[in-house]
Amino acid sequence: MDTKFLMKNYKRKVKIMYKIAVAGTGYVGLVAGVCFAEVGHQVTCVDIDEKKVELMKTGVSPIYEADLEGLMQKNYAAGRLNYTTDYRSAYKDVDAIFIGVGTPEQLDGSANLSYIATVARQIAETIEKDCLVVVKSTVPVGTNDKVEQFIKDFLVNDVKVEVASNPEFLAQGTAVRDTLHAARIIIGTESKWAEDMLKKIYEPFNLPIVSVNRRSAEMIKYASNDFLALKISYMNDIANLCELVGADIQDIAKGMSFDERIGRNFLNAGIGYGGSCFPKDTKALAYLAKQHGYELRTVKAAVDVNKDQKTMLFKKASNRLITFNGLKVAVLGLTFKPGTDDLREAPSLENVPLLLEHGAEVYAYDPVGKKNFKRKFPEGKNEHGTIKYVDNIEEALKGANVCFIFTEWGEVKALKPEEYKILMRTPLVYDGRNIYDVKAMKEAGVEYYSIGRPQVKVVEDMAEAAAAKI
Ligand code: NAD
C-alpha cells in the first residue's frame, strides 16, 4: 500500500482522544471510522449486518475502496478500532456518535429517513453520558432538528444530547484519500459546545473547517452535489447538440476548462451520472423545494437530461442494427464508475436488461462489479435473457458483434483500438465514456460511436469483415 499520501497533511497525534461510535459501515461510515482511528481516536463501528461485522473483524473490507483494508488492519491491531452489532455497548459511554446509515430514494423522490430514525431511537435508549450526535448521512434540510427532538423525546437517561450536521463529500473509489485530505470539513452546529467538540475531533486532520448552522450545513451538501450533477447534465446536453452540429465535446470541454470561473472538473460528457448520491440527491432537493411550494427548475432539468442520457447508446445502436436477437454483445464495465464495486444507479443496470430483453447474448466484464451484478442478473438464462460473466476483456470481445463500454476501468482504457478489430466478429463499438480517440478508431477500422463527438460510420463492408473471420 502506498501510504505516503496518508502521512502528508494530518498531524496524526490527537491532543484530545475522543471515544467515538459510528453507526453504519458503508462507504461513508466505515471510511470515517477508520480515518478517525487513524488520527488517534478510539472508534467502534456499529452495523446491523452481522456478516459484515464478522468480515471486518478478520481485516477484510466489505466494500472495495483503495487503501481501506490496510488502515483497517493497522488500527484494529493497534486497538483503536473495533466492530460490533451490539449498539448498546457501543453507544452507552461515547463522547460522540456519527451516523452514516443510508438515506435512499423513495418512490416519490423524497429521502427515506427510516434508517436514521432507527439509529436515533437506539441512541436515545442507550446513552448514559453526555453525547454529541453527528449526522454524516445526507439528509434534507431540517432533519437534524427533527433527529434532536426525536432523541430527546425518547431519551431514557438524564444526559445532555445535541445533534450536529457534518455532511460527507468523499467520492467512491478515492474515499480514504478524500477523507484524510478533504477540501473542507463542513460542520453545522447550534451551540458552542457542539462546535468546539467537532473542531477538536477534526483538529488532527489539519483541514479547513467551515462552521455554519445546522440547516446551512445540510443545504451545502445538496447544493454541492446537485451543482455537480447539473454540470454533468449540462455537458451531456451540449454533447448531444455537438453531434447534431458537427462539433466535438472533448474540444469544447478543453476550451472551457481554461476558464477559472468554470473549472476543469466534471466537464466530461458520457452516458450520465449514476452512483448512490447524485441521482437521489437531485430528486430529494427537488422534492424538498416542492414541499415548500417552489419549483427547482435547474435541478429538474439535470434529472431529465440524465434520464435520457443513460440509454443514449442503446438508442444509437437500435438505429444502426435491425435486431439484437442472437447477437453476442460484449459489455465492458458494470459499476457506475471505476474504483468501486458499487452498482447503484449505474447505466449498466438500465442497458443490460434492455439488451437482454431484445435477445442479445451479453458477455459482461468488470474487474470488481461482477459479484454484485450477478445477484441481480444471475449467470446463464434468467428472466431477462442470457448473460455470461467473463474474467477478461478478450473473452468478452472474442467473436462479438457489438461492444458497449459503460465504465472507464484502466484495463478497458489500456485496450488498443486494433484489438477490437482483431477480436470482434464485427468491430462495432458504442463507448459511453469517450475513452478512445475517434481518429485512432477510424484508422484501426472500428465502427465507433461515442458521446458528443464525430461518429465513425461504417468504414468497410462489415459483412466482408465478418466473413473473413469465419
Ligand atoms: P451504505 O448503504 O453503503 O451503508 C449504510 C450502512 O448502514 C449499511 O452497512 C447498513 O447495514 C448500515 N445500517 C443500517 N441501519 C443501521 C443501524 N440501525 N445501525 C447501524 N448500521 C446500520 O451507505 P453509504 O453509501 O455509506 O451512504 C450513507 C450516507 O452517506 C447516505 O446518506 C449517503 O447519501 C451519504 N453519502 C454517501 C457517499 C458515497 O459516496 N457513498 C458520499 C457522501 C455522502
Side-chain angles (χ1 to χ4, degrees):
M1 181 177 57
D2 170 22
T3 51
K4 268 189 220 136
F5 83 89
L6 297 172
M7 308 298 294
K8 217 168 154 200
N9 279 345
Y10 64 93
K11 295 178 183 167
R12 266 188 55 77
K13 289 276 174 284
V14 283
K15 278 194 199 132
I16 303 173
M17 189 272 281
Y18 284 99
K19 210 171 163 189
I20 293 172
V22 181
T25 59
Y27 295 88
V28 165
L30 180 57
V31 174
V34 169
C35 291
F36 285 140
E38 172 66 9
V39 298
H41 295 301
Q42 184 65 42
V43 180
T44 305
C45 291
V46 181
D47 207 289
I48 47 168
D49 188 332
E50 278 176 25
K51 273 197 200 141
K52 257 189 188 179
V53 169
E54 286 315 309
L55 198 67
M56 291 187 289
K57 281 182 177 168
T58 64
V60 178
S61 170
I63 52 168
Y64 178 82
E65 203 54 66
D67 304 307
L68 185 60
E69 261 185 15
L71 289 186
M72 285 171 71
Q73 290 159 8
K74 175 183 159 196
N75 287 286
Y76 186 71
R80 284 191 298 264
L81 179 65
N82 219 328
Y83 312 99
T84 185
T85 51
D86 179 9
Y87 66 87
R88 285 170 209 284
S89 65
Y91 298 159
K92 71 173 183 188
D93 61 350
V94 288
D95 302 300
I97 302 171
F98 284 76
I99 303 180
V101 296
T103 48
E105 181 186 330
Q106 308 199 95
L107 281 178
D108 60 3
S110 64
N112 177 351
L113 299 176
S114 64
Y115 300 98
I116 299 270
T118 302
V119 178
R121 182 87 186 247
Q122 290 167 339
I123 291 171
E125 289 171 356
T126 51
I127 52 172
E128 292 175 11
K129 71 174 248 195
D130 294 353
C131 181
L132 180 65
V133 174
V134 188
V135 178
K136 248 198 175 307
S137 304
T138 306
V139 291
V141 181
T143 304
N144 277 267
D145 297 356
K146 290 184 192 163
V147 172
E148 184 169 293
Q149 192 55 53
F150 193 69
I151 294 176
K152 285 180 174 163
D153 287 346
F154 286 95
L155 205 55
V156 170
N157 296 307
D158 183 19
V159 292
K160 168 175 164 175
V161 63
E162 203 172 308
V163 171
S165 167
N166 171 221
E168 179 53 63
F169 295 90
L170 64 78
Q172 281 174 228
T174 49
V176 172
R177 191 182 286 255
D178 291 351
T179 303
L180 292 173
H181 301 285
R184 78 310 204 183
I185 307 288
I186 301 291
I187 58 172
T189 55
E190 298 296 325
S191 80
K192 185 134 180 25
W193 176 73
E195 185 186 6
D196 285 349
M197 194 193 296
L198 264 178
K199 281 185 173 167
K200 281 181 200 144
I201 289 173
Y202 276 111
E203 200 249 357
F205 289 78
N206 201 21
L207 296 167
I209 293 179
V210 180
S211 180
V212 295
N213 71 20
R214 280 198 302 227
R215 284 175 177 245
S216 298
E218 292 169 321
M219 186 57 120
I220 287 171
K221 175 63 192 171
Y222 278 105
S224 302
N225 265 11
D226 290 14
F227 182 71
L228 295 176
L230 224 141
K231 219 172 160 186
I232 296 170
S233 276
Y234 177 75
M235 290 311 283
N236 285 336
D237 219 11
I238 296 291
N240 298 337
L241 182 59
C242 279
E243 282 182 26
L244 298 172
V245 299
D248 183 327
I249 192 66
Q250 282 186 323
D251 290 340
I252 312 307
K254 189 174 164 194
M256 288 168 71
S257 69
F258 282 86
D259 191 328
E260 281 178 9
R261 294 169 302 177
I262 295 170
R264 53 186 58 248
N265 295 323
F266 282 77
L267 295 183
N268 291 336
I271 35 169
Y273 56 77
S276 62
C277 294
F278 292 172
K280 79 172 172 63
D281 293 348
T282 40
K283 289 181 204 151
L285 194 61
Y287 183 89
L288 182 85
K290 203 169 143 204
Q291 265 187 319
H292 287 80
Y294 187 75
E295 193 189 5
L296 210 50
R297 284 167 294 169
T298 49
V299 173
K300 274 184 77 184
V303 174
D304 289 346
V305 170
N306 199 57
K307 190 167 177 283
D308 288 349
Q309 200 69 14
K310 278 196 174 169
T311 49
M312 191 60 80
L313 287 185
F314 179 79
K315 284 176 211 141
K316 278 186 189 178
S318 301
N319 285 339
R320 158 70 172 79
L321 295 159
I322 188 166
T323 180
F324 283 102
N325 203 17
L327 299 190
K328 173 173 175 178
V329 176
V331 166
L332 304 185
L334 297 168
T335 56
F336 84 92
K337 69 172 183 177
T340 179
D341 57 351
D342 199 345
L343 293 175
R344 286 178 280 188
E345 302 276 346
S348 63
L349 286 177
E350 285 201 36
N351 286 287
V352 168
L354 273 176
L355 290 165
L356 294 173
E357 277 151 25
H358 284 78
E361 282 176 25
V362 171
Y363 283 66
Y365 167 79
D366 191 290
V368 300
K370 279 183 293 184
K371 201 168 129 213
N372 288 342
F373 209 81
K374 262 185 205 172
R375 288 198 197 115
K376 295 177 192 289
F377 300 96
E379 174 118 36
K381 213 172 167 46
N382 61 51
E383 63 192 279
H384 301 279
T386 305
I387 183 164
K388 195 170 172 353
Y389 296 91
V390 294
D391 294 329
N392 57 63
I393 297 174
E394 287 70 28
E395 245 186 287
L397 289 180
K398 203 161 185 342
N401 303 96
V402 192
C403 170
F404 284 87
I405 301 172
F406 293 136
T407 321
E408 66 276 37
W409 283 102
E411 40 273 75
V412 180
K413 280 159 101 177
L415 208 68
K416 294 199 175 67
E418 307 83 67
E419 294 179 79
Y420 292 95
K421 171 80 174 166
I422 295 165
L423 290 165
M424 293 177 70
R425 190 169 191 275
T426 44
L428 176 57
V429 175
Y430 291 87
D431 177 2
R433 300 299 176 184
N434 285 354
I435 290 178
Y436 292 101
D437 180 47
V438 175
K439 210 164 135 239
M441 286 301 242
K442 188 172 186 178
E443 280 166 10
V446 179
E447 183 170 339
Y448 180 61
Y449 300 88
S450 54
I451 308 280
R453 302 188 300 168
Q455 315 290 302
V456 179
K457 296 276 162 48
V458 183
V459 286
E460 61 176 83
D461 186 333
M462 287 292 217
E464 237 176 64
K469 288 182 191 172
I470 294 170

